[in-house]
Amino acid sequence: MTDFYDELETRSPEARAAALMAALARQVAHARAHAPAFAASLAGVDAAAVAGMEALARLPVLRKAELTERQGKSPPFGGLAAVEPGRITRVFQSPGPIYEPESGRPDYWRFARALHAAGFRRGDIIHNCFSYHFTPAGSMVDTGAHLLGCGVFPAGPGQLELQVRAIADIRPAGYVGTPSFLKMILDKAAETGADTASLHCALVSGEALPGSLRDEFAKRGVAALQCYATADLGLIAYESSAREGHIVDEGVIVEIVRPGTGDPVPEGEVGEVLVTTLNPDYPLIRFATGDLSAVLPGTSPCGRTNQRIRGWMGRADQTTKVRGMFVHPSQVAAVAARHPEIGRFRLVVDRIQHNDVMTLRCEAGERPEGLAEAVATSVRELCKLRGEVELVDPGTLPNDGKVIDDIRTYE
């Protein structure tokens, strides 16, 4: 395949790393100078020295809860935006509520790359079924489509009869929206005899795309690919025709960290997705998405050379309540950090004879005398609860990103 969106997609990993790290240092300096919240949180940070992944990993994590808190104190953007008010073209609200700015910067949400990979080309019309109400999803598609040279039918969700009528009349080249709504449209078209044969490609997001549903779309003539995006960040990663993982967008830096912390995990291990966007107007740095994923080794067979992730693998927020006390993944990680002998770890919460029971399972190759007892003491001190400690062999615990596994039943 040689039909790439631009030359950035096929540059060498070394050239990409050099360009991204130079852009990162500029972004940190820009955020400190123009966004009051970052001026405070990055005070004392030498921006020029933040030119590598290790240096990035030492910066503070920005979590969604902090975003909500900051915006409540300093509306509407919590001091995180670095764009002049006169350049803001739209303001959106996503659940929280959290407010997101959009400026007039072309393809502000960087969606053109994912649309191109999904098969959309200049002159195509896109049937866009993402919402235009409150959230930025509809605008994400619009701004990317316009840069790509595509027209858009702003359908939004709902009104199935009108959706299939519009497809039959306008004959768009493809669909963008959730996979479940595409199925509803195609089912309604089959039921009513409406002609949707113009649809040959689709970019879907917001839900999982099971292989069986993807195959069903293919049988109906629609090649569906996925992308991973959030209202705060825009596009994070996207599928190509190779369908082997999600390729990270060229305008972001992705880290996979242990849930509840900012500590990177080894390649291949499941963890929480942290994203640093290089958008100077809204420079989110080490933003915790709350989503789980893992880095895939190597590069895509399609020829794109950027890092790949496995796509969305669940939520990272595993906070639970035990005996009336909240236990957070960050507390469990702090326990493990006290004991360098520990590799992977998992706090299993069960209910035995109507009592909550915590067991911290720790992978440990070397087990000096008294290790389990020392870890149990750390559990009591940092989690404020007593718990058992079980030492297991390396490789015993599943690679699924869970720090807290609540298996309690209440039958």
Side-chain angles (χ1 to χ4, degrees):
M1 179 178 178
T2 58
D3 191 11
F4 302 107
Y5 179 69
D6 58 23
E7 69 281 357
L8 298 181
E9 296 183 348
T10 56
R11 55 186 164 169
S12 71
E14 295 77 15
R16 177 179 291 106
L20 288 179
M21 292 306 102
L24 172 63
R26 292 194 299 271
Q27 183 75 321
V28 171
H30 175 78
R32 283 188 53 188
H34 299 284
F38 284 115
S41 67
L42 299 178
V45 173
D46 178 5
V50 186
M53 296 302 291
E54 290 185 4
L56 177 61
R58 290 192 290 269
L59 299 184
V61 174
L62 176 63
R63 298 198 171 274
K64 196 174 286 281
E66 183 182 348
L67 206 61
T68 306
E69 181 182 353
R70 285 184 177 277
Q71 290 189 354
K73 293 178 179 178
S74 179
F77 306 123
L80 293 163
V83 57
E84 300 86 357
R87 293 184 53 243
I88 293 175
T89 55
R90 296 180 181 90
V91 177
F92 298 99
Q93 183 197 89
S94 56
I98 294 174
Y99 296 95
E100 297 96 12
E102 177 184 300
S103 76
R105 185 178 299 277
D107 194 16
Y108 180 87
W109 307 96
R110 307 175 315 282
F111 243 70
R113 189 177 304 280
L115 291 167
H116 185 273
F120 292 99
R121 296 294 182 268
R122 178 172 296 276
D124 286 344
I125 294 177
I126 298 173
H127 193 85
N128 183 13
C129 287
F130 276 128
S131 177
Y132 284 79
H133 179 64
F134 273 72
T135 70
S139 188
M140 287 182 185
V141 179
D142 270 15
T143 52
H146 295 160
L147 186 64
L148 197 58
C150 295
V152 177
F153 178 72
Q159 298 181 296
L160 278 174
E161 292 82 2
L162 292 178
Q163 298 274 5
V164 296
R165 173 65 185 271
I167 291 170
D169 291 345
I170 299 173
R171 303 193 63 75
Y175 163 96
V176 180
T178 63
S180 61
F181 195 59
L182 175 57
K183 184 180 187 305
M184 293 170 66
I185 287 176
L186 295 177
D187 286 347
K188 175 60 71 172
E191 174 190 324
T192 60
D195 181 8
T196 58
S198 67
L199 298 178
H200 64 82
C201 60
L203 180 64
V204 299
S205 191
E207 299 171 346
L209 176 61
S212 58
L213 185 55
R214 196 199 300 256
D215 292 343
E216 182 179 335
F217 291 153
K219 290 177 182 177
R220 298 185 183 196
V222 181
L225 297 180
Q226 304 173 83
C227 72
Y228 170 37
T230 73
D232 317 278
L233 299 157
L235 182 69
I236 298 171
Y238 61 97
E239 279 190 313
S240 72
S241 57
R243 288 169 45 182
E244 293 191 15
H246 285 55
I247 302 163
V248 172
D249 177 57
E250 299 291 340
V252 298
I253 299 170
V254 168
E255 302 169 87
I256 306 293
V257 304
R258 190 142 345 254
T261 77
D263 304 328
V265 299
E267 182 177 288
E269 185 169 330
V270 177
E272 184 177 9
V273 179
L274 261 59
V275 179
T276 296
T277 173
L278 301 177
N279 175 2
D281 294 338
Y282 195 43
L284 297 182
I285 296 172
R286 303 203 83 202
F287 182 76
T289 64
D291 295 327
L292 293 174
S293 193
V295 172
L296 287 173
T299 57
S300 173
C302 72
R304 293 172 175 85
T305 57
N306 205 353
Q307 177 188 50
R308 294 179 299 159
I309 59 176
R310 289 174 59 183
W312 187 83
M313 299 177 66
R315 293 293 292 169
D317 185 6
Q318 301 155 26
T319 298
T320 191
K321 184 178 282 189
V322 181
R323 302 174 216 147
M325 296 280 290
F326 281 109
V327 181
H328 302 274
S330 57
Q331 293 173 292
V332 184
V335 170
R338 282 189 174 185
H339 306 278
E341 302 88 351
I342 293 176
R344 285 184 186 162
F345 50 89
R346 175 185 301 239
L347 184 70
V348 180
V349 183
D350 201 353
R351 193 165 179 80
I352 300 174
Q353 295 181 345
H354 307 293
N355 293 313
D356 292 340
V357 177
M358 295 194 322
T359 302
L360 181 59
R361 304 189 70 208
C362 306
E363 292 184 356
E366 297 183 7
R367 303 177 188 178
E369 185 177 353
L371 176 60
E373 292 78 7
V375 175
T377 298
S378 296
V379 170
R380 186 171 62 253
E381 291 176 353
L382 296 175
C383 299
K384 311 304 179 186
L385 292 163
R386 293 183 181 274
E388 301 296 321
V389 173
E390 179 185 352
L391 303 178
V392 300
D393 293 333
T396 300
L397 300 178
N399 178 23
D400 57 9
K402 284 188 177 180
V403 173
I404 299 177
D405 190 11
D406 190 342
I407 61 173
R408 290 174 290 187
T409 59
Y410 298 88
E411 297 178 356

